[in-house]
Amino acid sequence: MKKRIVLLSTLSILLFSCDTMQPLVGELGRAILEEPTTAVPTEFEMGSGLKEALIKGTKEGVANLSLEGGFLDNPMVKIPFPEEYDKVANTLRDIGLGNQIDQVELSLNRAAEDAVIEASPLFVNAITSMTIQDAQEILFGGKNAATNFLRAKTTDDLIVAFSPKISQSLDQVNATKYWSDVTNVYNKIPFVTKVDGDLTNYVTTKTIDGLFLKIAQEEEEVRENPIERTSSILKKVFDYAATKTQ
């Protein structure tokens, strides 16, 4: 009987300890992640850590934008009706054709969401070909240094990759038809200056702009939020960089 009482008491203590220790362990883990380290990374670690962070960040950014609504539902990157044709949009809304304007805007964003996935391999190629000097300049170069590096290295390739995909996507979602319908209606209005526009170039430019806004956001998260440093090398490299850029 005494043995049973001792056993039950021991189990109760263990169960109580598990319940109370679990949140404590979680808090301890969070504290460890947030506590900066002062270790100095090697050049190899700097390069490896930065590449790991950039590949992770760019893949997440591209994946988010490629979802349905990735552009359309995000005010930061949403592609609006072309500003230079605001007069067209306003005129057509005034005569009850606002739905066609909305269809054009929807189609532009769907095309961007369809095309942006093409950026991932281009980013990975630029990141993996980065030199030690590139890595150091990016690491200590300010909050948008990595984004600026990727923009400089990949913009031309992104235009080449995006343009045919966007052109095809615009056709698939009937954006070209909607745009043609809109411009045809507008051009029939007496005394207006007839308009034409290259939707593919416009959407390609806006897609690239939105993409790099998202990449900059991902970069800022890694630089500013210790919780985003999800591996020991990321923690070591970005903790060290934070001490040098303060």
Side-chain angles (χ1 to χ4, degrees):
M1 184 69 178
K2 288 183 178 179
K3 289 183 178 179
R4 288 182 180 179
I5 293 172
V6 171
L7 180 59
L8 287 172
S9 299
T10 303
L11 288 172
S12 298
I13 292 170
L14 287 172
L15 289 172
F16 174 78
S17 298
C18 287
D19 289 340
T20 56
M21 287 300 291
Q22 188 171 358
L24 292 176
V25 170
E27 288 300 319
L28 178 60
R30 180 179 292 272
I32 290 171
L33 283 172
E34 293 179 347
E35 181 66 26
T37 178
T38 56
V40 178
T42 64
E43 288 186 346
F44 176 78
E45 287 174 326
M46 287 184 195
S48 297
L50 182 63
K51 289 176 183 180
E52 179 184 328
L54 291 181
I55 289 174
K56 175 178 177 289
T58 55
K59 283 185 175 180
E60 288 180 358
V62 169
N64 288 336
L65 291 177
S66 68
L67 297 173
E68 184 171 309
F71 275 84
L72 185 65
D73 298 336
N74 184 342
M76 184 178 73
V77 298
K78 180 180 178 180
I79 301 175
F81 194 86
E83 290 180 10
E84 60 267 36
Y85 300 114
D86 277 347
K87 184 178 179 181
V88 178
N90 294 334
T91 301
L92 293 178
R93 288 189 189 280
D94 288 343
I95 62 175
L97 296 175
N99 183 61
Q100 286 181 283
I101 303 301
D102 294 337
Q103 287 289 351
V104 170
E105 193 169 85
L106 171 66
S107 301
L108 301 183
N109 286 276
R110 289 289 183 258
E113 292 157 7
D114 192 39
V116 74
I117 199 69
E118 301 293 325
S120 281
L122 298 177
F123 283 154
V124 170
N125 183 58
I127 292 164
T128 54
S129 62
M130 187 184 294
T131 67
I132 293 294
Q133 183 177 350
D134 290 334
Q136 290 178 336
E137 289 175 355
I138 291 168
L139 199 58
F140 307 120
K143 67 177 184 178
N144 292 325
T147 303
N148 293 338
F149 172 85
L150 289 174
R151 183 184 280 275
K153 292 290 184 181
T154 63
T155 294
D156 290 344
D157 291 335
L158 288 171
I159 292 172
V160 171
F162 283 2
S163 291
K165 183 79 171 180
I166 285 173
S167 180
Q168 181 182 8
S169 297
L170 289 172
D171 288 339
Q172 287 176 349
V173 297
N174 289 325
T176 306
K177 178 183 180 300
Y178 290 130
W179 179 246
S180 178
D181 290 345
V182 165
T183 54
N184 285 340
V185 171
Y186 181 80
N187 288 336
K188 290 177 182 177
I189 298 174
F191 311 116
V192 300
T193 302
K194 297 189 184 308
V195 298
D196 189 15
D198 189 331
L199 277 184
T200 297
N201 287 343
Y202 174 72
V203 177
T204 298
T205 299
K206 289 295 185 181
T207 302
I208 291 171
D209 289 344
L211 174 61
F212 283 114
L213 281 173
K214 186 66 175 175
I215 297 305
Q217 193 177 53
E218 296 288 340
E219 179 181 1
E220 184 176 359
E221 277 293 300
V222 174
R223 289 186 184 274
E224 302 295 331
N225 187 357
I227 297 300
E228 293 295 320
R229 300 165 195 172
T230 53
S231 70
S232 58
I233 192 168
L234 287 181
K235 180 172 173 56
K236 185 175 183 179
V237 168
F238 283 96
D239 283 356
Y240 177 70
T243 66
K244 293 296 183 181
T245 55
Q246 288 175 348

